[in-house]
Amino acid sequence: MVTETSATAENVTVIVDGKEHKFPKGTNLLEACQSVGAKVPFFCYHPGLSSPAVCRQCLVEVKGSPKPVPSCYMTVADKMEVTTNSPKVLDVRRQMLEFTLLNHPIDCPICDKAGECSLQRHYFDWNGRLARNEGVKVRKAKVVDVGKHIVLDQERCILCTRCIRVCNEVAKSPDLTMANRGSHEVLTTAPGHRLDNPYSLNTVDVCPVGALTAKDFRFARRAWEIFSTPSVCPGCATGCSIEVHASRGKIRRLVPRENPAVNKFWMCDEGRFEYKTVHDHRVMLPLVGGKRARLDVAVTEAAKLLRADGGSSPSRVGVVFSAGASNEDDHALLRLAADGLKTERIYVGGRPPGWSDAILVSADKNPNSAAVRAMAPTARTLEDLRADVASGAVTALVVFGNETLVLAKDKLTAVVALASHQGPLLASANVVLPVAVWAEVDGSFTNKDGRVQRIHAAISPPGESQPGWRTICALAGKLGLALDYTDADDVFAEASARHAFLKGAVWGPASQPVQLRFGESRG
Ligand code: SF4
Ligand code: SF4
Ligand code: FES
Protein backbone atom coordinates (compact mmCIF):
# COMPACT_ATOMS: atom_id res chain seq x y z
CA MET A 1 0.00 0.00 0.00
CA VAL A 2 1.16 3.54 -0.71
CA THR A 3 1.52 6.19 1.94
CA GLU A 4 1.07 9.90 1.77
CA THR A 5 4.39 11.66 1.03
CA SER A 6 5.96 15.09 1.43
CA ALA A 7 5.97 17.64 -1.41
CA THR A 8 8.43 16.98 -4.28
CA ALA A 9 8.33 17.56 -8.02
CA GLU A 10 7.13 13.96 -8.46
CA ASN A 11 4.20 14.44 -6.10
CA VAL A 12 0.72 15.65 -6.88
CA THR A 13 -1.72 17.41 -4.58
CA VAL A 14 -5.11 15.75 -4.15
CA ILE A 15 -8.05 16.81 -1.99
CA VAL A 16 -9.67 13.79 -0.38
CA ASP A 17 -12.88 14.50 1.54
CA GLY A 18 -11.98 18.18 1.90
CA LYS A 19 -8.39 17.65 3.09
CA GLU A 20 -5.28 18.25 1.02
CA HIS A 21 -2.77 15.38 0.63
CA LYS A 22 0.36 14.74 -1.43
CA PHE A 23 0.88 11.45 -3.29
CA PRO A 24 3.54 10.22 -5.71
CA LYS A 25 2.52 10.76 -9.31
CA GLY A 26 0.87 7.62 -10.75
CA THR A 27 -0.53 6.39 -7.42
CA ASN A 28 -3.70 4.34 -7.77
CA LEU A 29 -6.60 6.48 -6.53
CA LEU A 30 -8.15 3.68 -4.45
CA GLU A 31 -4.84 3.09 -2.68
CA ALA A 32 -4.34 6.81 -2.18
CA CYS A 33 -7.76 7.10 -0.50
CA GLN A 34 -7.10 4.06 1.71
CA SER A 35 -3.71 5.41 2.75
CA VAL A 36 -5.22 8.56 4.24
CA GLY A 37 -7.94 6.66 6.09
CA ALA A 38 -10.81 7.17 3.62
CA LYS A 39 -12.48 3.77 3.59
CA VAL A 40 -13.46 2.68 0.08
CA PRO A 41 -14.79 -0.88 -0.29
CA PHE A 42 -13.68 -3.04 -3.22
CA PHE A 43 -13.99 -6.56 -4.60
CA CYS A 44 -12.23 -6.88 -7.95
CA TYR A 45 -9.22 -4.69 -7.18
CA HIS A 46 -6.08 -6.44 -5.92
CA PRO A 47 -2.77 -4.58 -5.54
CA GLY A 48 -0.85 -7.46 -7.14
CA LEU A 49 -3.07 -7.72 -10.24
CA SER A 50 -4.31 -5.59 -13.14
CA SER A 51 -7.47 -3.52 -12.58
CA PRO A 52 -10.38 -4.27 -14.91
CA ALA A 53 -12.91 -2.36 -12.73
CA VAL A 54 -15.66 -4.94 -13.09
CA CYS A 55 -17.37 -4.82 -9.68
CA ARG A 56 -18.00 -1.04 -9.38
CA GLN A 57 -17.85 -1.27 -5.60
CA CYS A 58 -15.07 1.31 -5.24
CA LEU A 59 -17.01 4.25 -6.66
CA VAL A 60 -16.03 7.77 -5.56
CA GLU A 61 -16.95 11.24 -6.76
CA VAL A 62 -14.28 13.18 -8.64
CA LYS A 63 -14.98 16.86 -9.22
CA GLY A 64 -15.67 17.42 -12.93
CA SER A 65 -16.92 13.87 -13.59
CA PRO A 66 -20.65 13.74 -14.29
CA LYS A 67 -21.10 10.48 -12.37
CA PRO A 68 -19.19 8.44 -9.73
CA VAL A 69 -16.03 6.75 -11.02
CA PRO A 70 -14.26 3.49 -10.04
CA SER A 71 -11.29 4.63 -7.98
CA CYS A 72 -9.34 1.39 -8.64
CA TYR A 73 -9.18 2.27 -12.33
CA MET A 74 -7.74 5.79 -11.94
CA THR A 75 -4.47 7.31 -10.85
CA VAL A 76 -4.17 10.51 -8.85
CA ALA A 77 -3.83 13.78 -10.75
CA ASP A 78 -2.73 17.19 -9.55
CA LYS A 79 -5.54 19.27 -8.02
CA MET A 80 -7.95 16.31 -8.16
CA GLU A 81 -10.86 16.69 -5.72
CA VAL A 82 -12.24 13.38 -4.50
CA THR A 83 -15.21 12.66 -2.26
CA THR A 84 -15.47 9.18 -0.80
CA ASN A 85 -18.32 9.61 1.67
CA SER A 86 -21.04 11.83 0.14
CA PRO A 87 -24.68 10.61 0.32
CA LYS A 88 -24.57 10.05 -3.44
CA VAL A 89 -21.44 7.82 -3.23
CA LEU A 90 -22.82 5.85 -0.28
CA ASP A 91 -26.06 5.33 -2.16
CA VAL A 92 -24.48 4.09 -5.42
CA ARG A 93 -22.19 1.74 -3.49
CA ARG A 94 -25.20 0.38 -1.61
CA GLN A 95 -26.97 -0.17 -4.91
CA MET A 96 -23.96 -1.97 -6.37
CA LEU A 97 -23.77 -4.18 -3.31
CA GLU A 98 -27.46 -4.99 -3.60
CA PHE A 99 -26.88 -5.85 -7.26
CA THR A 100 -23.92 -8.12 -6.36
CA LEU A 101 -26.08 -9.86 -3.76
CA LEU A 102 -29.08 -10.23 -6.07
CA ASN A 103 -28.37 -13.86 -6.96
CA HIS A 104 -25.86 -14.63 -4.23
CA PRO A 105 -27.06 -17.54 -2.05
CA ILE A 106 -27.50 -16.78 1.63
CA ASP A 107 -25.06 -19.55 2.43
CA CYS A 108 -23.02 -17.86 5.16
CA PRO A 109 -23.77 -20.38 7.93
CA ILE A 110 -22.40 -23.21 5.79
CA CYS A 111 -19.81 -21.23 3.80
CA ASP A 112 -16.13 -21.83 4.38
CA LYS A 113 -15.32 -18.15 3.93
CA ALA A 114 -17.68 -16.90 6.66
CA GLY A 115 -15.71 -14.76 9.07
CA GLU A 116 -13.15 -13.71 6.45
CA CYS A 117 -15.47 -12.87 3.53
CA SER A 118 -15.31 -9.41 1.93
CA LEU A 119 -18.94 -9.61 0.80
CA GLN A 120 -20.10 -10.36 4.35
CA ARG A 121 -17.93 -7.54 5.72
CA HIS A 122 -19.01 -4.97 3.15
CA TYR A 123 -22.68 -5.88 3.62
CA PHE A 124 -22.44 -5.12 7.34
CA ASP A 125 -20.27 -2.02 6.79
CA TRP A 126 -22.04 -0.47 3.81
CA ASN A 127 -25.52 -1.92 3.34
CA GLY A 128 -27.12 -3.80 6.21
CA ARG A 129 -30.59 -3.63 4.66
CA LEU A 130 -33.05 -6.46 4.06
CA ALA A 131 -33.10 -7.92 0.54
CA ARG A 132 -35.82 -6.57 -1.76
CA ASN A 133 -35.54 -9.48 -4.17
CA GLU A 134 -38.60 -11.64 -3.67
CA GLY A 135 -38.11 -13.72 -6.81
CA VAL A 136 -36.29 -17.01 -7.24
CA LYS A 137 -32.51 -16.63 -7.38
CA VAL A 138 -30.60 -17.96 -10.40
CA ARG A 139 -29.22 -21.37 -9.47
CA LYS A 140 -25.72 -22.38 -10.56
CA ALA A 141 -23.50 -25.42 -9.97
CA LYS A 142 -22.15 -26.12 -6.51
CA VAL A 143 -19.16 -28.30 -5.48
CA VAL A 144 -17.50 -28.25 -8.92
CA ASP A 145 -14.16 -30.07 -8.86
CA VAL A 146 -12.04 -27.64 -10.92
CA GLY A 147 -8.54 -28.73 -9.89
CA LYS A 148 -6.39 -31.03 -7.84
CA HIS A 149 -6.63 -28.77 -4.81
CA ILE A 150 -9.72 -26.66 -5.45
CA VAL A 151 -13.51 -26.85 -5.43
CA LEU A 152 -15.71 -24.14 -7.01
CA ASP A 153 -19.18 -23.01 -5.95
CA GLN A 154 -20.46 -21.09 -8.99
CA GLU A 155 -23.44 -19.66 -7.12
CA ARG A 156 -21.23 -17.85 -4.64
CA CYS A 157 -18.95 -16.36 -7.31
CA ILE A 158 -19.41 -12.60 -7.67
CA LEU A 159 -17.61 -12.58 -11.06
CA CYS A 160 -14.79 -10.33 -9.93
CA THR A 161 -12.23 -12.14 -12.20
CA ARG A 162 -9.44 -11.97 -9.61
CA CYS A 163 -8.85 -15.73 -9.90
CA ILE A 164 -8.64 -15.51 -13.69
CA ARG A 165 -6.05 -12.77 -13.38
CA VAL A 166 -4.00 -14.76 -10.85
CA CYS A 167 -3.78 -17.62 -13.35
CA ASN A 168 -2.98 -15.33 -16.28
CA GLU A 169 -0.67 -12.85 -14.61
CA VAL A 170 1.02 -14.74 -11.75
CA ALA A 171 1.03 -18.42 -12.73
CA LYS A 172 1.17 -17.59 -16.49
CA SER A 173 -1.31 -20.39 -17.02
CA PRO A 174 -4.72 -19.29 -18.42
CA ASP A 175 -6.78 -21.99 -16.71
CA LEU A 176 -9.98 -20.07 -15.88
CA THR A 177 -12.49 -18.04 -17.86
CA MET A 178 -16.04 -16.71 -17.76
CA ALA A 179 -18.86 -18.38 -19.70
CA ASN A 180 -22.42 -17.19 -20.55
CA ARG A 181 -23.81 -13.67 -20.11
CA GLY A 182 -25.81 -11.55 -17.68
CA SER A 183 -27.11 -13.24 -14.56
CA HIS A 184 -26.21 -16.62 -16.10
CA GLU A 185 -22.50 -15.74 -16.33
CA VAL A 186 -20.32 -18.31 -14.53
CA LEU A 187 -16.68 -18.81 -13.71
CA THR A 188 -15.41 -22.06 -15.22
CA THR A 189 -12.23 -23.75 -16.42
CA ALA A 190 -10.97 -22.78 -19.88
CA PRO A 191 -11.56 -25.41 -22.58
CA GLY A 192 -9.05 -28.23 -22.16
CA HIS A 193 -7.74 -26.84 -18.85
CA ARG A 194 -7.95 -27.78 -15.17
CA LEU A 195 -7.00 -25.42 -12.37
CA ASP A 196 -3.83 -27.42 -11.71
CA ASN A 197 -1.02 -24.89 -12.10
CA PRO A 198 1.67 -24.82 -9.35
CA TYR A 199 0.22 -21.54 -7.95
CA SER A 200 -3.45 -22.57 -8.09
CA LEU A 201 -4.19 -22.03 -4.39
CA ASN A 202 -3.52 -18.30 -4.71
CA THR A 203 -6.93 -18.14 -6.42
CA VAL A 204 -8.50 -19.24 -3.13
CA ASP A 205 -6.67 -16.47 -1.25
CA VAL A 206 -7.78 -13.72 -3.62
CA CYS A 207 -11.37 -14.92 -3.97
CA PRO A 208 -13.28 -12.32 -1.94
CA VAL A 209 -16.09 -14.80 -1.24
CA GLY A 210 -16.41 -18.53 -0.61
CA ALA A 211 -16.59 -19.52 -4.28
CA LEU A 212 -13.13 -21.08 -4.52
CA THR A 213 -12.22 -23.27 -1.58
CA ALA A 214 -9.16 -25.41 -0.87
CA LYS A 215 -9.93 -29.12 -0.60
CA ASP A 216 -7.29 -29.40 2.08
CA PHE A 217 -8.90 -26.79 4.35
CA ARG A 218 -12.60 -26.55 3.52
CA PHE A 219 -14.84 -27.28 6.50
CA ALA A 220 -11.80 -28.00 8.70
CA ARG A 221 -12.12 -24.87 10.84
CA ARG A 222 -14.13 -21.64 11.00
CA ALA A 223 -12.15 -18.43 10.46
CA TRP A 224 -12.78 -17.23 14.00
CA GLU A 225 -11.15 -20.35 15.43
CA ILE A 226 -7.91 -19.63 13.58
CA PHE A 227 -4.89 -17.82 15.02
CA SER A 228 -2.46 -16.29 12.54
CA THR A 229 1.31 -15.97 13.05
CA PRO A 230 3.73 -14.33 10.59
CA SER A 231 6.55 -16.61 9.45
CA VAL A 232 8.61 -17.76 6.47
CA CYS A 233 7.95 -20.81 4.26
CA PRO A 234 10.54 -23.54 4.87
CA GLY A 235 9.84 -25.19 1.50
CA CYS A 236 12.75 -23.78 -0.49
CA ALA A 237 15.53 -21.20 -0.53
CA THR A 238 13.22 -18.43 -1.80
CA GLY A 239 11.83 -17.85 1.70
CA CYS A 240 8.31 -16.60 0.91
CA SER A 241 6.62 -14.67 3.69
CA ILE A 242 3.65 -16.56 5.05
CA GLU A 243 1.02 -16.61 7.77
CA VAL A 244 0.78 -19.83 9.77
CA HIS A 245 -2.89 -20.47 10.52
CA ALA A 246 -3.30 -22.69 13.56
CA SER A 247 -6.06 -23.73 15.90
CA ARG A 248 -6.01 -25.90 18.99
CA GLY A 249 -2.28 -26.58 18.74
CA LYS A 250 -2.34 -27.77 15.13
CA ILE A 251 -1.44 -25.97 11.93
CA ARG A 252 -4.42 -25.95 9.55
CA ARG A 253 -3.00 -24.08 6.55
CA LEU A 254 -0.24 -21.76 5.33
CA VAL A 255 -1.16 -18.66 3.32
CA PRO A 256 1.07 -16.01 1.71
CA ARG A 257 1.88 -12.72 3.47
CA GLU A 258 2.73 -9.60 1.49
CA ASN A 259 6.46 -9.07 1.02
CA PRO A 260 7.34 -6.84 -1.95
CA ALA A 261 11.01 -7.90 -1.82
CA VAL A 262 10.43 -11.67 -2.02
CA ASN A 263 7.05 -13.13 -2.91
CA LYS A 264 4.82 -10.05 -3.36
CA PHE A 265 1.40 -11.55 -2.48
CA TRP A 266 1.92 -15.17 -3.54
CA MET A 267 3.29 -18.59 -2.66
CA CYS A 268 3.47 -21.91 -4.50
CA ASP A 269 1.10 -24.81 -3.81
CA GLU A 270 3.96 -27.07 -2.75
CA GLY A 271 4.98 -24.63 -0.02
CA ARG A 272 1.43 -24.63 1.37
CA PHE A 273 1.72 -28.29 2.26
CA GLU A 274 4.93 -27.87 4.27
CA TYR A 275 2.80 -27.81 7.40
CA LYS A 276 1.78 -31.45 6.90
CA THR A 277 5.17 -32.72 8.01
CA VAL A 278 5.15 -30.68 11.21
CA HIS A 279 2.79 -32.96 13.11
CA ASP A 280 3.60 -36.45 11.81
CA HIS A 281 6.27 -38.91 13.00
CA ARG A 282 7.73 -36.59 15.60
CA VAL A 283 10.41 -37.41 18.12
CA MET A 284 8.78 -36.54 21.44
CA LEU A 285 11.16 -37.84 24.10
CA PRO A 286 14.91 -38.12 24.75
CA LEU A 287 16.29 -41.62 24.20
CA VAL A 288 19.48 -43.27 25.45
CA GLY A 289 20.29 -46.57 23.78
CA GLY A 290 16.78 -46.57 22.31
CA LYS A 291 15.13 -46.25 25.73
CA ARG A 292 13.27 -43.28 27.14
CA ALA A 293 15.42 -41.12 29.44
CA ARG A 294 15.18 -37.80 31.27
CA LEU A 295 16.51 -34.91 29.20
CA ASP A 296 19.32 -34.05 31.63
CA VAL A 297 20.35 -37.73 31.80
CA ALA A 298 20.38 -37.96 27.97
CA VAL A 299 22.43 -34.77 27.63
CA THR A 300 24.95 -35.99 30.25
CA GLU A 301 25.25 -39.33 28.44
CA ALA A 302 25.74 -37.55 25.10
CA ALA A 303 28.55 -35.42 26.54
CA LYS A 304 30.19 -38.51 28.10
CA LEU A 305 30.17 -40.36 24.76
CA LEU A 306 31.57 -37.37 22.87
CA ARG A 307 34.32 -36.84 25.47
CA ALA A 308 35.36 -40.47 24.97
CA ASP A 309 36.97 -39.30 21.72
CA GLY A 310 39.75 -38.40 24.17
CA GLY A 311 40.56 -35.03 22.71
CA SER A 312 42.46 -36.60 19.80
CA SER A 313 44.10 -34.12 17.47
CA PRO A 314 42.76 -33.52 14.93
CA SER A 315 39.40 -34.24 16.53
CA ARG A 316 37.55 -37.26 15.21
CA VAL A 317 34.14 -35.83 16.18
CA GLY A 318 32.09 -34.76 13.19
CA VAL A 319 29.26 -32.21 13.41
CA VAL A 320 26.48 -32.32 10.82
CA PHE A 321 24.52 -29.14 10.16
CA SER A 322 21.10 -29.00 8.53
CA ALA A 323 20.28 -26.52 5.77
CA GLY A 324 16.77 -26.50 7.23
CA ALA A 325 17.77 -25.30 10.72
CA SER A 326 17.45 -21.67 11.80
CA ASN A 327 20.29 -19.14 11.97
CA GLU A 328 20.13 -19.43 15.75
CA ASP A 329 20.48 -23.23 15.76
CA ASP A 330 23.33 -22.99 13.25
CA HIS A 331 25.19 -20.42 15.34
CA ALA A 332 24.85 -22.42 18.56
CA LEU A 333 25.97 -25.59 16.75
CA LEU A 334 28.98 -23.78 15.32
CA ARG A 335 29.96 -22.63 18.83
CA LEU A 336 29.56 -26.21 20.09
CA ALA A 337 31.75 -27.56 17.25
CA ALA A 338 34.46 -24.91 17.42
CA ASP A 339 34.63 -24.11 21.15
CA GLY A 340 33.10 -27.18 22.83
CA LEU A 341 34.22 -30.12 20.69
CA LYS A 342 37.15 -28.26 19.11
CA THR A 343 36.54 -29.94 15.77
CA GLU A 344 36.81 -28.65 12.24
CA ARG A 345 35.03 -31.66 10.80
CA ILE A 346 31.81 -29.96 9.75
CA TYR A 347 29.34 -31.36 7.24
CA VAL A 348 26.04 -30.12 5.93
CA GLY A 349 22.98 -32.03 4.88
CA GLY A 350 19.41 -31.21 4.01
CA ARG A 351 16.75 -31.99 1.47
CA PRO A 352 17.92 -32.90 -2.05
CA PRO A 353 17.37 -30.38 -4.88
CA GLY A 354 14.14 -30.44 -6.88
CA TRP A 355 12.21 -28.55 -9.55
CA SER A 356 12.31 -24.80 -9.94
CA ASP A 357 10.74 -22.07 -12.05
CA ALA A 358 11.24 -18.43 -12.93
CA ILE A 359 8.34 -17.29 -10.71
CA LEU A 360 9.15 -18.22 -7.09
CA VAL A 361 10.24 -21.82 -6.67
CA SER A 362 13.96 -22.52 -6.05
CA ALA A 363 15.71 -25.81 -6.81
CA ASP A 364 17.29 -25.73 -3.33
CA LYS A 365 14.52 -27.17 -1.14
CA ASN A 366 16.05 -25.91 2.12
CA PRO A 367 15.20 -22.56 3.71
CA ASN A 368 18.60 -21.76 5.22
CA SER A 369 21.41 -23.14 3.05
CA ALA A 370 22.81 -19.63 2.65
CA ALA A 371 23.41 -19.33 6.41
CA VAL A 372 25.35 -22.61 6.65
CA ARG A 373 27.42 -21.61 3.63
CA ALA A 374 28.24 -18.26 5.25
CA MET A 375 28.87 -19.54 8.79
CA ALA A 376 30.79 -22.67 7.86
CA PRO A 377 32.22 -22.08 4.37
CA THR A 378 34.43 -25.17 4.60
CA ALA A 379 31.54 -27.50 5.52
CA ARG A 380 31.61 -30.64 3.42
CA THR A 381 28.89 -32.89 2.04
CA LEU A 382 27.29 -36.02 3.47
CA GLU A 383 29.19 -38.02 0.84
CA ASP A 384 32.44 -36.69 2.37
CA LEU A 385 31.12 -37.67 5.79
CA ARG A 386 30.48 -41.25 4.69
CA ALA A 387 34.03 -41.45 3.32
CA ASP A 388 35.46 -40.02 6.57
CA VAL A 389 33.47 -42.49 8.66
CA ALA A 390 34.65 -45.38 6.46
CA SER A 391 38.30 -44.28 6.75
CA GLY A 392 38.11 -43.81 10.53
CA ALA A 393 38.77 -40.05 10.32
CA VAL A 394 35.40 -39.57 12.05
CA THR A 395 34.50 -41.87 14.94
CA ALA A 396 31.82 -39.84 16.75
CA LEU A 397 29.07 -37.60 15.46
CA VAL A 398 26.67 -34.87 16.49
CA VAL A 399 23.91 -34.71 13.87
CA PHE A 400 21.36 -31.89 13.75
CA GLY A 401 18.24 -32.85 11.75
CA ASN A 402 19.15 -35.07 8.77
CA GLU A 403 17.12 -37.95 10.18
CA THR A 404 17.25 -39.76 6.82
CA LEU A 405 21.04 -40.13 7.04
CA VAL A 406 22.18 -43.78 6.94
CA LEU A 407 25.61 -44.54 8.48
CA ALA A 408 27.86 -47.57 8.98
CA LYS A 409 27.21 -48.03 12.70
CA ASP A 410 30.18 -50.37 13.34
CA LYS A 411 32.64 -47.57 12.52
CA LEU A 412 31.20 -45.11 15.04
CA THR A 413 31.60 -45.08 18.82
CA ALA A 414 28.98 -42.39 19.37
CA VAL A 415 26.11 -40.81 17.46
CA VAL A 416 24.21 -38.00 19.16
CA ALA A 417 21.14 -37.04 17.14
CA LEU A 418 19.28 -33.76 17.69
CA ALA A 419 16.17 -34.78 15.83
CA SER A 420 12.63 -33.57 15.26
CA HIS A 421 11.36 -36.52 13.19
CA GLN A 422 11.69 -40.29 13.11
CA GLY A 423 14.10 -41.65 10.48
CA PRO A 424 16.80 -44.24 9.79
CA LEU A 425 19.49 -42.22 11.61
CA LEU A 426 17.78 -42.73 14.96
CA ALA A 427 18.30 -46.52 14.81
CA SER A 428 22.07 -45.95 14.89
CA ALA A 429 21.99 -43.10 17.44
CA ASN A 430 23.25 -43.73 20.97
CA VAL A 431 21.44 -40.64 22.23
CA VAL A 432 18.43 -38.89 20.69
CA LEU A 433 17.52 -35.37 21.83
CA PRO A 434 14.12 -34.07 20.56
CA VAL A 435 14.13 -30.63 18.94
CA ALA A 436 11.38 -28.28 17.79
CA VAL A 437 10.73 -27.34 14.13
CA TRP A 438 10.39 -23.97 12.37
CA ALA A 439 6.70 -23.46 13.26
CA GLU A 440 7.38 -23.99 16.96
CA VAL A 441 10.26 -21.56 17.51
CA ASP A 442 11.22 -17.91 17.30
CA GLY A 443 14.25 -17.40 15.10
CA SER A 444 15.28 -16.53 11.56
CA PHE A 445 16.16 -17.94 8.13
CA THR A 446 18.46 -16.47 5.47
CA ASN A 447 17.11 -16.87 1.97
CA LYS A 448 19.09 -17.49 -1.23
CA ASP A 449 19.57 -13.74 -1.76
CA GLY A 450 20.98 -13.29 1.76
CA ARG A 451 17.78 -11.74 3.12
CA VAL A 452 17.47 -12.53 6.83
CA GLN A 453 13.82 -13.01 7.78
CA ARG A 454 12.17 -13.73 11.08
CA ILE A 455 10.09 -16.78 11.98
CA HIS A 456 7.76 -16.95 14.98
CA ALA A 457 6.39 -19.74 17.14
CA ALA A 458 2.83 -20.47 16.00
CA ILE A 459 2.34 -23.60 18.11
CA SER A 460 4.09 -25.29 21.04
CA PRO A 461 6.68 -28.02 20.43
CA PRO A 462 5.36 -31.53 21.18
CA GLY A 463 6.49 -33.71 24.09
CA GLU A 464 9.84 -32.71 25.50
CA SER A 465 11.21 -31.17 22.31
CA GLN A 466 12.59 -27.65 22.57
CA PRO A 467 14.43 -25.17 20.32
CA GLY A 468 17.61 -26.77 19.00
CA TRP A 469 19.87 -23.98 20.30
CA ARG A 470 18.56 -24.61 23.82
CA THR A 471 19.51 -28.30 23.68
CA ILE A 472 22.90 -27.36 22.21
CA CYS A 473 23.45 -24.98 25.17
CA ALA A 474 22.75 -27.85 27.61
CA LEU A 475 25.15 -30.17 25.76
CA ALA A 476 27.83 -27.47 25.54
CA GLY A 477 27.50 -26.90 29.31
CA LYS A 478 28.26 -30.57 29.98
CA LEU A 479 31.33 -30.24 27.74
CA GLY A 480 32.58 -27.25 29.74
CA LEU A 481 31.44 -24.51 27.36
CA ALA A 482 29.07 -21.93 28.84
CA LEU A 483 26.50 -20.80 26.25
CA ASP A 484 24.06 -18.86 28.38
CA TYR A 485 21.47 -17.63 25.88
CA THR A 486 18.10 -16.77 27.36
CA ASP A 487 16.07 -16.60 24.16
CA ALA A 488 16.37 -16.64 20.36
CA ASP A 489 17.05 -12.86 20.26
CA ASP A 490 19.99 -13.45 22.57
CA VAL A 491 21.46 -16.09 20.24
CA PHE A 492 20.86 -13.81 17.26
CA ALA A 493 22.58 -10.88 18.99
CA GLU A 494 25.75 -12.93 19.47
CA ALA A 495 25.49 -14.46 15.97
CA SER A 496 25.10 -11.08 14.27
CA ALA A 497 28.16 -9.75 16.13
CA ARG A 498 30.22 -12.60 14.64
CA HIS A 499 28.76 -13.14 11.18
CA ALA A 500 28.72 -10.24 8.74
CA PHE A 501 25.75 -11.56 6.75
CA LEU A 502 23.50 -11.22 9.82
CA LYS A 503 24.54 -7.64 10.58
CA GLY A 504 21.97 -4.97 9.89
CA ALA A 505 19.01 -7.37 9.89
CA VAL A 506 16.22 -5.45 11.54
CA TRP A 507 13.40 -7.11 13.40
CA GLY A 508 9.95 -5.81 13.99
CA PRO A 509 8.56 -6.52 17.43
CA ALA A 510 8.21 -10.19 18.40
CA SER A 511 4.87 -11.44 17.16
CA GLN A 512 2.17 -13.35 18.95
CA PRO A 513 -0.58 -15.33 17.19
CA VAL A 514 -3.64 -13.11 16.56
CA GLN A 515 -7.19 -14.23 15.95
CA LEU A 516 -7.96 -14.17 12.23
CA ARG A 517 -11.61 -13.13 12.20
CA PHE A 518 -11.96 -10.35 9.60
CA GLY A 519 -8.23 -9.81 9.99
CA GLU A 520 -8.16 -8.49 6.40
CA SER A 521 -5.29 -10.83 5.63
CA ARG A 522 -7.29 -12.67 2.99
CA GLY A 523 -9.90 -11.95 0.32
S1 SF4 B 1 -14.43 -17.42 -8.03
FE1 SF4 B 1 -13.97 -15.81 -6.56
S2 SF4 B 1 -12.14 -14.81 -7.38
FE2 SF4 B 1 -13.03 -15.99 -9.06
S3 SF4 B 1 -14.36 -14.56 -10.13
FE3 SF4 B 1 -15.64 -15.64 -8.65
S4 SF4 B 1 -15.63 -14.33 -6.84
FE4 SF4 B 1 -13.94 -13.67 -8.12
S1 SF4 C 1 8.50 -20.78 -3.58
FE1 SF4 C 1 9.61 -21.89 -1.98
S2 SF4 C 1 9.53 -20.55 -0.18
FE2 SF4 C 1 7.96 -19.85 -1.65
S3 SF4 C 1 6.07 -20.89 -1.05
FE3 SF4 C 1 7.07 -22.19 -2.59
S4 SF4 C 1 8.30 -23.61 -1.41
FE4 SF4 C 1 7.77 -21.95 -0.05
S1 FES D 1 -12.74 -2.58 -7.03
FE1 FES D 1 -12.99 -0.96 -8.39
S2 FES D 1 -14.41 -1.66 -9.80
FE2 FES D 1 -14.04 -3.40 -8.53
Side-chain angles (χ1 to χ4, degrees), residues 202 243 282 287 379 412 436 460 465:
N202 292 289
E243 287 177 13
R282 291 297 298 270
L287 303 173
L412 291 162
S460 303
S465 49

Side-chain angles (χ1 to χ4, degrees), residues 364-376:
D364 179 356
K365 299 300 171 192
N366 300 288
N368 211 23
S369 308
V372 186
R373 275 198 301 273
M375 283 190 197

